[in-house]
Amino acid sequence: MGVHVEVMDLVAQMKAAEQAFVLATVVRTVSVTAAKAGAKAIIRPDGTIAAGWIGGGCAKGAVLKAARDALADGEPRMVSVQPENLLSELGVRPGESKDGVRFASNMCPSKGTMDIFVEPVLPHPSLVILGASPVALSLAAQARQLGYHVTLAAPAADIVAAPDAHVIVDGFAPRFLTDARRFVVVSTQGKGDQLALKHALTIDAAYYAFVGSRRKMAALRDKLIAAGLEAAAIDRVKAPAGLDLGAITPEEIAMSILAEITVERRRGRRAANPVARS
């Protein structure tokens, strides 16, 4: 009971800290196994077990591989570790999947069977906004409603209203970023555009956008290249930001940006799951 409480306490702490991890739970055992049903373990992205226990080497390798895959695609999975004779009876080989279960061979003398549910727990996607324009403030508020972890970075003097953000940073150098997939939007409305873009490009992100015209971005591109930034990095910035929805108001522009981010965010999962598009 004590170990179970320790694991669940750490789960709550890691979720609050926006850390990625896997919760592995033994859901069924047959015959002799080191761990029993209900045993849990927290697995970090580097493969280390932060807390708990789900048995020794007989199951560990298969669970760690499943944990890596789960963190990569965000999907939970079931792993069944069984002796080879039982796998043969089922008509599967180690490493194969059937009916949503991935099978692995138990080479230990115990010859027991253990089923483990592997559940990824990922941080909320991270939206990093540089600037405190009306679009920036509306973007922060709407993004929080959609479950994003929002960081807003802007000089304190530019912030005229309290942003609805998890983290507010004075200046354009964001700090305290989470390990989640990041989306970066520069919305400075002429106040420090070049400096904000320079800082934006130092962030490892899946999406970069600038709230401004193509002509303005082209002029800033020349200045950034002259300042030593690589053209290929600058050209990753989408300008103007957002889908072309005919948006006019700050709220509409923010909505169009979030729509574009949603397309980018979901693209990988749609490609991996063609059924979701049908």
Side-chain angles (χ1 to χ4, degrees):
M1 186 63 153
V3 174
H4 177 76
V5 171
E6 175 190 346
V7 168
M8 298 315 292
D9 285 346
L10 186 55
V11 165
Q13 294 171 22
M14 294 180 74
K15 288 178 71 173
E18 295 286 343
Q19 296 178 4
F21 63 95
V22 161
L23 178 63
T25 304
V26 177
V27 296
R28 185 182 76 104
T29 63
V30 178
S31 188
V32 179
T33 57
K36 300 303 179 185
K40 298 178 183 292
I42 295 173
I43 304 170
R44 298 185 184 276
D46 64 1
T48 58
I49 295 180
W53 189 69
I54 50 170
C58 301
K60 187 176 179 180
V63 173
L64 291 182
K65 184 180 187 309
R68 289 193 298 270
D69 294 344
L71 288 171
D73 63 20
E75 298 293 336
R77 56 252 294 144
M78 184 74 76
V79 178
S80 184
V81 182
Q82 303 189 24
E84 289 193 353
N85 64 306
L86 293 183
L87 295 181
S88 297
E89 291 178 12
L90 292 172
V92 295
R93 296 180 180 179
E96 291 184 347
S97 296
K98 181 178 180 181
D99 298 329
V101 179
R102 177 188 291 177
F103 292 90
S105 177
N106 183 356
M107 303 298 292
C108 293
S110 64
K111 300 299 182 182
T113 292
M114 183 185 301
D115 294 342
I116 307 103
F117 184 62
V118 176
E119 178 185 9
V121 182
L122 301 174
H124 292 88
S126 175
L127 176 62
V128 184
I129 304 168
L130 283 72
S133 68
V135 171
L137 297 180
S138 181
L139 183 59
Q142 292 185 40
R144 286 203 64 170
Q145 293 179 348
L146 293 178
Y148 287 82
H149 182 278
V150 179
T151 298
L152 188 140
D158 293 346
I159 302 176
V160 297
D164 188 6
H166 295 90
V167 177
I168 302 172
V169 178
D170 183 6
F172 291 127
R175 300 185 297 277
F176 316 116
L177 299 181
T178 71
D179 293 332
R181 194 177 187 204
R182 301 187 188 116
F183 304 86
V184 179
V185 177
V186 175
S187 183
T188 41
Q189 205 170 39
K191 296 183 178 180
D193 293 342
Q194 185 176 339
L195 181 59
L197 280 166
K198 184 176 180 181
H199 280 292
L201 292 171
T202 66
I203 302 169
D204 182 13
Y207 169 92
Y208 305 84
F210 175 69
V211 181
S213 67
R214 289 185 180 86
R215 181 177 297 179
K216 186 173 187 179
M217 185 64 208
L220 287 166
R221 180 182 187 275
D222 293 339
K223 293 179 181 179
L224 290 168
I225 291 175
L229 273 71
E230 294 184 1
I234 302 168
D235 291 342
R236 293 185 63 190
V237 180
K238 168 74 162 45
L243 298 179
D244 185 5
L245 305 178
I248 297 176
T249 68
E251 293 78 14
E252 290 173 347
I253 295 170
M255 179 183 67
S256 75
I257 296 170
L258 280 171
E260 186 170 65
I261 289 174
T262 300
V263 171
E264 179 62 32
R265 179 184 170 192
R266 301 301 187 190
R267 179 174 290 142
R269 182 166 293 184
R270 292 204 317 276
N273 183 18
V275 175
R277 300 196 299 270
S278 61

